[in-house]
Amino acid sequence: MIKFREDTTSLRNRINIHSQFGQKDMVAWVSKFVKHKKHLKILDLACGDGVQTIKFSKLLFKKKIKHQILGTDSNKDLLKIAKKNNSNKNITYNKLNFDQKFKFESEKFDLILCLFGIYYSKNIKKTLKEIKEILSENGQIIFVGPLRDNKLDFNKILENATKRKIPPLIGSSRFDSKIYKEVKKRFKKTKLEKFKNVLKISNRNIYLNYMISSVTSKRGVYKSFLKNTTITTIEKKFNQYLYNFFNKKKYMTITKKVGAIIAEK
């Protein structure tokens, strides 16, 4: 069973680092795949603290696409932040767990979006069934997640620093394989688009902060990696490795490789 819970601090840290040091804009890339309509009714699954929901909305307005977005997440703490930071009348937020039955009676959405989250579904077949039921005819889904070769440079540094092997991770081990396959069975015009973004970080503390935000036991993504050790021990070894590295070189990279599964009903 997949056990995952994103915490507010680690999520915000990673998003900020991606924005500050990335060479490309992932949300802008995703917005290019949206089918143009006069007015879109959008469901955003696993929206977290709403930062990317707001950004996505702004990009649609730039394209002159009228829309309403319902941002949803199962984490009430992240939703509180999303609601607090939201000043857009076209965005509302509500609690929704995509591992449970969706509580929409006759409501339909033109676009169902999930930026980094669908791969945590405990039963992807049931989740996709719920999604398809509330998607309008010819409606679109866009799911974004890590590919199998995501952050290979970062993970290699983590392994070298700690002398520990990283087992298959929750997201990257199933997004472009099992989840893509299940979507293809249930939807039409299914395709997988790929996006590469290289983060160049020259500050040791920032790179260390990214590692802690990624590996923390609160997320559960690196749970198997942390078996029989602690994040404190990992941090100490990683910090020493970075110290030695930055004495010789100017920057380290984190190569983000993500995919967008795009399909229609």
Side-chain angles (χ1 to χ4, degrees):
M1 181 181 290
I2 296 172
K3 292 184 178 180
F4 170 80
R5 180 179 174 83
E6 187 68 87
D7 73 284
T8 308
T9 305
S10 67
L11 176 65
R12 180 58 61 87
N13 282 344
R14 294 195 317 279
I15 289 176
N16 287 344
I17 290 171
H18 292 161
S19 299
Q20 187 176 353
F21 297 97
Q23 310 298 304
K24 299 176 183 178
D25 188 328
M26 184 275 297
V27 181
W29 172 72
V30 171
S31 72
K32 293 178 182 178
F33 302 120
V34 176
K35 288 169 61 180
H36 285 220
K37 275 194 171 186
K38 290 182 178 179
H39 192 283
L40 286 175
K41 192 173 182 181
I42 302 169
L43 176 65
D44 185 9
L45 298 172
C47 70
D49 63 2
V51 170
Q52 294 184 133
T53 309
I54 293 171
K55 189 172 186 179
F56 188 75
S57 176
K58 289 179 178 178
L59 287 164
L60 292 185
F61 275 129
K62 283 184 179 180
K63 296 173 186 288
K64 297 182 179 179
I65 301 174
K66 293 181 180 180
H67 60 280
Q68 289 292 132
I69 302 178
L70 173 60
T72 65
D73 203 281
S74 61
N75 188 321
K76 63 181 182 180
D77 294 329
L78 289 173
L79 281 176
K80 281 182 182 178
I81 295 171
K83 290 176 181 178
K84 182 180 178 182
N85 294 335
N86 180 41
S87 59
N88 295 358
K89 293 181 179 179
N90 65 307
I91 301 176
T92 55
Y93 293 100
N94 210 342
K95 188 174 181 180
L96 184 147
N97 185 336
F98 57 49
D99 286 321
Q100 299 172 1
K101 187 168 181 61
F102 292 3
K103 295 179 180 179
F104 297 105
E105 293 182 3
S106 58
E107 198 168 2
K108 298 286 184 180
F109 295 90
D110 304 302
L111 169 62
I112 297 180
L113 182 72
C114 188
L115 304 180
F116 300 100
I118 196 67
Y119 41 88
Y120 295 118
S121 170
K122 294 175 183 177
N123 188 324
I124 190 61
K125 293 179 182 180
K126 286 185 178 180
T127 300
L128 291 176
K129 181 177 180 292
E130 293 294 320
I131 288 171
K132 191 171 184 178
E133 285 181 359
I134 60 169
L135 189 65
S136 60
E137 199 63 34
N138 297 314
Q140 186 181 34
I141 59 170
I142 303 177
F143 302 152
V144 176
L147 301 174
R148 276 169 281 188
D149 56 352
N150 181 50
K151 297 197 299 188
L152 290 183
D153 46 1
F154 169 79
N155 286 331
K156 189 66 177 177
I157 290 168
L158 185 56
E159 288 182 334
N160 290 340
T162 60
K163 308 300 182 187
R164 297 174 67 87
K165 184 71 176 174
I166 298 174
L169 301 177
I170 293 171
S172 55
S173 65
R174 68 197 296 255
F175 180 74
D176 59 352
S177 53
K178 182 178 180 180
I179 292 174
Y180 178 66
K181 183 180 178 181
E182 294 298 333
V183 170
K184 205 168 184 179
K185 286 180 183 177
R186 293 163 175 78
F187 295 85
K188 66 182 182 181
K189 298 183 180 179
T190 304
K191 61 181 180 178
L192 177 67
E193 297 287 347
K194 297 182 179 182
F195 178 80
K196 178 181 176 180
N197 192 16
V198 180
L199 283 62
K200 293 184 177 181
I201 301 175
S202 57
N203 184 294
R204 176 167 58 93
N205 291 328
I206 291 173
Y207 205 99
L208 178 64
N209 186 26
Y210 187 89
M211 185 281 292
I212 295 169
S213 297
S214 299
V215 180
T216 174
S217 59
K218 293 179 181 179
R219 294 186 69 218
V221 177
Y222 285 81
K223 183 179 178 181
S224 298
F225 176 72
L226 291 173
K227 190 175 181 180
N228 299 322
T229 189
T230 65
I231 188 64
T232 303
T233 301
I234 296 296
E235 180 182 351
K236 188 180 294 184
K237 292 180 178 180
F238 197 79
N239 193 30
Q240 184 59 52
Y241 185 91
L242 293 182
Y243 180 82
N244 295 333
F245 183 93
F246 280 111
N247 277 338
K248 300 174 183 177
K249 297 186 178 181
K250 292 182 178 180
Y251 64 85
M252 273 184 163
T253 62
I254 300 172
T255 305
K256 294 280 296 178
K257 292 185 179 181
V258 303
I261 297 173
I262 305 158
E264 295 179 23
K265 182 175 177 180

